[in-house]
């Protein structure tokens, strides 16, 4: 059972199942605040994806959510084609949530309550939604996409071995992840940068070993704990 759990919980199918609630909560929350004419900010990673899409001449407003939905459909089609079933173990999903909470608790002990969201505000509701978005979209950019792109790039350009390329990718992506959090109003400090860099390495190792779903939940749980502790 344990080996089957580790295999299935790392799969993209289960990863998307556990992150789907994050996606719905974030998108519904942003839509609600927009419709209610409440001042709000979107998660920085979400905005970053939008700006990239705009750079290539397309409408980027729903880019991040569209990418998630597209990946979801591709994974569902692949699951049906390869496994012939959509059987879901809610026991495994529950254990994934518990496992993510444990990883988040370790992060809390290391980071000293430093935010891992970009664009925090004075609004508790907005910060709650931003935390959900950080878990989903920051992990989508810095782990799911960037680690893959950097690893392939290092191997192709520098002809490095796979492990060396992966280690370099973890270091570079973690530095970019840390620097990303200073794009807003927060002032740079060596301590906060170093702690976020360590967090980036930690989250990268979780992603590599446990998959996208668990690392996204870990990130979201950590930010939610910090927000409610500091509010």
């Amino acid at each position: 059972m344990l080996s089957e759990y580790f295999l299935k919980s790392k799969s993209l199918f289960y990863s998307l199942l556990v992150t789907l609630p994050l996606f719905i909560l974030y998108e519904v929350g942003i839509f609600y605040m927009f419709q209610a004419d409440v001042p709000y900010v979107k998660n920085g990673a979400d905005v970053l994806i939008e700006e990239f899409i705009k750079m290539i001449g397309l409408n980027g407003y729903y880019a991040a959510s569209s990418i998630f939905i597209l990946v979801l459909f591709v994974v569902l089609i692949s699951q049906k084609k390869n496994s012939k079933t959509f059987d879901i173990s809610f026991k495994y999903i529950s254990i994934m949530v518990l496992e993510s909470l444990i990883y988040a608790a370790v992060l809390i002990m290391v980071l000293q309550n430093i935010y891992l969201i970009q664009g925090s505000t004075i609004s508790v509701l907005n910060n709650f939604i931003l935390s959900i978005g950080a878990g989903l979209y920051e992990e989508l950019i810095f782990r799911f996409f960037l680690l893959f792109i950097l690893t392939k790039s290092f191997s192709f350009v520098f002809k490095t071995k796979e492990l060396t390329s992966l280690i370099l990718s973890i270091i570079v992506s973690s530095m970019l992840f840390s620097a990303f959090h200073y794009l807003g109003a927060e002032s740079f400090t060596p301590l906060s940068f170093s702690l976020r860099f360590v967090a980036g390495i930690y989250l990268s190792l979780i992603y590599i070993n446990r998959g996208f779903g668990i690392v996204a939940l870990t990130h979201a749980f950590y930010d939610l704990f910090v927000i409610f502790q500091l509010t």
Side-chain angles (χ1 to χ4, degrees):
M1 175 188 168
L2 196 60
S3 60
E4 183 183 6
Y5 164 73
F6 279 113
L7 181 65
K8 287 191 173 181
S9 60
K10 189 180 177 181
S11 70
L12 264 180
F13 179 62
Y14 270 84
S15 289
L16 288 172
L17 285 178
V18 297
T19 54
L20 188 58
L22 300 183
F23 172 77
I24 294 171
L25 281 171
Y26 176 76
E27 295 298 337
V28 170
I30 291 294
F31 181 77
Y32 163 76
M33 288 191 293
F34 174 77
Q35 291 295 322
D37 201 23
V38 176
Y40 71 95
V41 295
K42 299 180 74 173
N43 178 260
D46 186 4
V47 175
L48 194 64
I49 295 173
E50 290 177 5
E51 292 303 316
F52 176 77
I53 297 298
K54 287 178 184 177
M55 284 172 57
I56 59 177
L58 300 174
N59 185 344
Y61 192 78
Y62 294 108
S65 54
S66 299
I67 289 171
F68 183 87
I69 292 172
L70 178 62
V71 172
L72 175 64
F73 274 108
V74 170
V75 171
L76 289 177
I77 292 170
S78 176
Q79 176 72 14
K80 182 64 176 177
K81 181 179 179 181
N82 296 327
S83 301
K84 311 296 183 184
T85 179
F86 288 124
D87 287 346
I88 300 169
S89 171
F90 291 99
K91 180 192 294 185
Y92 286 171
I93 290 176
S94 300
I95 299 174
M96 289 173 73
V97 172
L98 179 60
E99 186 181 350
S100 302
L101 283 168
I102 293 170
Y103 295 146
V106 174
L107 206 52
I108 288 162
M109 291 186 286
V110 173
L111 288 194
Q112 306 173 22
N113 295 332
I114 289 179
Y115 283 123
L116 287 183
I117 55 176
Q118 198 281 334
S120 59
T121 71
I122 60 172
S123 165
V124 175
L125 174 60
N126 201 172
N127 281 342
F128 172 81
I129 294 168
L130 284 172
S131 297
I132 299 297
L136 183 64
Y137 291 122
E138 289 182 20
E139 293 309 313
L140 191 66
I141 290 178
F142 292 101
R143 254 59 71 178
F144 188 81
F145 286 126
L146 195 56
L147 274 181
F148 174 80
I149 292 169
L150 287 174
T151 301
K152 295 300 181 184
S153 298
F154 282 127
S155 296
F156 178 76
V157 175
F158 301 106
K159 310 302 180 185
T160 52
K161 293 182 179 179
E162 186 176 350
L163 180 59
T164 303
S165 297
L166 183 58
I167 292 171
L168 290 171
S169 300
I170 290 172
I171 293 170
V172 172
S173 64
S174 298
M175 291 178 67
L176 292 173
F177 170 73
S178 184
F180 167 76
H181 292 83
Y182 302 101
L183 294 179
E186 183 177 346
S187 299
F188 173 89
T189 67
L191 177 60
S192 62
F193 180 86
S194 299
L195 288 173
R196 286 187 174 118
F197 172 68
V198 170
I201 293 175
Y202 177 69
L203 292 169
S204 295
L205 293 175
I206 293 174
Y207 169 72
I208 292 165
N209 291 285
R210 300 299 300 117
F212 176 73
I214 288 177
V215 77
L217 287 178
T218 299
H219 191 153
F221 285 149
Y222 170 80
D223 279 330
L224 287 171
F225 178 86
V226 172
I227 280 173
F228 285 108
Q229 187 178 46
L230 299 182
T231 300

